[in-house]
Amino acid sequence: MVEIKVNDYYGNPSYYSVMPQEIFDALELANLNGEATCKVDKAQFDAMVVEYRKKMEQWKG
């Protein structure tokens, strides 16, 4: 598990296309509960970050 800041990812639509449902659900629940951070699966998070970086590189052209 890894602890992440809710506001860094939740409400940031550029992550949504690469965000696993489990991470989105954890972020949403933490947001609804007024929590600043939440814990998510590290492997899923790491994979999401890799895919996000690929997506941003492709967008830059």
Side-chain angles (χ1 to χ4, degrees):
M1 299 295 269
V2 63
E3 192 164 358
I4 61 174
K5 292 182 180 178
V6 173
N7 288 339
D8 287 353
Y9 304 98
Y10 188 75
N12 187 344
S14 65
Y15 281 100
Y16 293 168
S17 66
V18 296
M19 186 180 290
Q21 187 65 46
E22 293 85 356
I23 291 179
F24 181 84
D25 291 346
L27 288 166
E28 185 171 48
L29 181 60
N31 183 65
L32 290 171
N33 289 332
E35 298 167 357
T37 63
C38 69
K39 291 184 179 179
V40 297
D41 182 83
K42 184 175 180 354
Q44 282 188 332
F45 179 75
D46 290 345
M48 180 186 82
V49 170
V50 167
E51 291 304 312
Y52 180 77
R53 288 182 181 152
K54 285 183 195 175
K55 174 184 161 179
M56 290 296 105
E57 283 300 315
Q58 288 174 348
W59 183 77
K60 286 181 184 177

